[in-house]
Amino acid sequence: MKFHFLTCLLTLALAAEAAMSSPTLDEVNTAYEPKDYPASLTGYAKLAADGNAVAQNKLGEMYANGVGTSKDEQRAVSWYRKAAEQGLADAQQNLAVMYGKGKGVPQDWQQALAWHRKAAEQGYTLAQFFMGGMHEFGHGVSKDPVQAISWYRRAADDGFARAQYRMGTAAADGWGMHEDGQQAVTWYRKAAEQGHANAQLELGLVFASGDGVPKDEQQAVSWYRKAAAQCYVDAQYNLGVLYASSRGPIKDEKQAVKWYRRAADQGDAGAQYNLSLMYLYGRGVPQDIQQAYFWCLLSSFRGHKAATLSRLLASFDSNETDAAHEKMFAKVKAWVPRTE
């Protein structure tokens, strides 16, 4: 009886020790959020060794990204595979990406397709989007626009903005489906309302041109501004064009200069050229030949066919010395784009 009692005590003690040494997944996740990565790595490793698929996937992500440990893509693949083989869609998607990019394993589009499909068939939206892309571009499978649209639509119907945008471009171009401008606008709007900058730009273009919807420059400005606020250069440039060229109430040359400048600062040659014209003619800004020359010269250095360059050069020549010219060229050559 005494021996049996001691055995029970030992069993309970070992169980208690095991419970103390093996954290729960919630406890490890809690440590991960405030970036206590060493504790998270240790905790996930213990759970992963016990076969916890979620922990195996998280451990794979930490190794893949070098979080809390040195980057080790082969170990990441190993842990992703363990979780993926247990049916965890997150891990199946992660493993598919590793095969697609050739990280931790030789690139293998067939394997990437197979693992994307497993995740997609579980309703994993990102995997459905990737399946659309693989059928569109022929990665691991023959190009098939109809299949691509089928997968994109599944992700789009689930609210995935990137897929909604792709459905919009497909409807606008008649790719994989009948061309339908109104459908394109519908899909663009769904993506744009989630903050997708490309979709916001496309809506701006649609409203500015009246293609598929009644022309509405106020709506165009509204959508361009949303994309421009995300530092989307094309939207900033288009805002400049719309403010400068509009014949309606939104015409505002000061705003045109503002948005041309933002796009120009990021390296857009067209915006740099248009900005030079605003300075040359004093539109929305005091006339400034040196600024006009600088932006025009810079746009030509970046590949834009600056038609007024010779005129600007002549104006500059009449007032400035050779040293000033050399200084201007040095300034242009030293110029680098700025991000907002």
Side-chain angles (χ1 to χ4, degrees):
M1 178 66 77
K2 184 176 181 180
F3 177 77
H4 179 69
F5 178 71
L6 290 174
T7 301
C8 289
L9 284 177
L10 180 60
T11 301
L12 289 171
L14 290 173
E17 182 182 354
M20 291 177 64
S21 61
S22 297
T24 66
L25 185 61
D26 286 342
E27 289 172 340
V28 181
N29 288 338
T30 299
Y32 188 88
E33 290 303 321
K35 299 185 179 180
D36 185 359
Y37 296 135
S40 302
L41 185 71
T42 300
Y44 285 136
K46 288 179 179 179
L47 291 169
D50 290 337
N52 186 298
V54 174
Q56 290 169 342
N57 183 59
K58 290 293 292 185
L59 195 57
E61 290 175 346
M62 294 184 79
Y63 279 118
N65 298 303
V67 176
T69 184
S70 57
K71 191 171 184 177
D72 188 333
E73 292 174 342
Q74 290 184 331
R75 294 184 76 175
V77 166
S78 176
W79 285 113
Y80 284 153
R81 190 183 306 279
K82 291 178 186 294
E85 289 174 347
Q86 293 193 66
L88 187 69
D90 282 324
Q92 292 169 342
Q93 172 65 16
N94 284 339
L95 184 58
V97 169
M98 299 299 271
Y99 271 114
K101 294 182 176 180
K103 291 188 173 183
V105 288
Q107 187 179 54
D108 187 330
W109 287 115
Q110 293 289 341
Q111 282 290 316
L113 181 71
W115 287 109
H116 279 311
R117 186 182 298 278
K118 288 179 184 293
E121 289 175 348
Q122 292 193 64
Y124 197 85
T125 306
L126 181 59
Q128 293 169 343
F129 176 74
F130 269 83
M131 286 293 291
M134 295 188 81
H135 281 89
E136 178 177 358
F137 298 108
H139 294 317
V141 66
S142 298
K143 290 183 179 181
D144 188 333
V146 175
Q147 276 295 308
I149 291 299
S150 175
W151 283 109
Y152 283 142
R153 186 182 296 277
R154 289 173 69 173
D157 286 341
D158 202 35
F160 193 63
R162 291 165 66 187
Q164 292 169 339
Y165 169 72
R166 193 65 193 92
M167 289 296 295
T169 60
D173 298 337
W175 179 86
M177 60 194 301
H178 294 297
E179 184 176 333
D180 188 331
Q182 291 185 338
Q183 274 293 308
V185 170
T186 297
W187 285 114
Y188 285 147
R189 190 183 297 276
K190 288 177 183 290
E193 288 174 348
Q194 294 190 66
H196 194 287
N198 278 11
Q200 292 167 343
L201 173 65
E202 291 295 339
L203 274 183
L205 290 167
V206 164
F207 280 111
S209 65
D211 184 13
V213 294
K215 187 173 181 177
D216 187 332
E217 289 186 339
Q218 294 284 2
Q219 281 287 313
V221 165
S222 176
W223 288 111
Y224 282 151
R225 278 185 171 273
K226 292 179 188 295
Q230 299 187 60
C231 300
Y232 202 94
V233 173
D234 288 347
Q236 294 170 341
Y237 173 79
N238 285 357
L239 266 175
V241 170
L242 196 54
Y243 278 124
S245 64
S246 174
R247 296 181 180 179
I250 70 162
K251 186 176 182 68
D252 187 331
E253 291 184 338
K254 288 184 178 180
Q255 283 290 316
V257 169
K258 170 187 172 180
W259 290 107
Y260 282 148
R261 182 59 185 261
R262 290 194 178 184
D265 281 343
Q266 293 194 69
D268 187 273
Q272 291 167 347
Y273 174 68
N274 284 2
L275 183 60
S276 76
L277 296 179
M278 302 300 276
Y279 276 111
L280 176 63
Y281 298 114
R283 294 177 55 192
V285 68
Q287 187 181 49
D288 187 328
I289 298 300
Q290 288 196 24
Q291 281 289 319
Y293 181 48
F294 169 76
W295 287 109
C296 190
L297 187 61
L298 183 59
S299 72
S300 70
F301 270 47
R302 299 181 70 81
H304 192 278
K305 295 180 180 179
T308 60
L309 180 58
S310 59
R311 178 178 175 182
L312 290 171
L313 182 56
S315 298
F316 195 67
D317 275 340
S318 65
N319 299 302
E320 301 295 340
T321 64
D322 289 341
H325 284 297
E326 291 177 5
K327 184 177 180 180
M328 180 67 77
F329 272 86
K331 183 179 178 182
V332 167
K333 290 179 179 179
W335 185 88
V336 293
R338 294 186 303 179
T339 56
E340 298 179 352

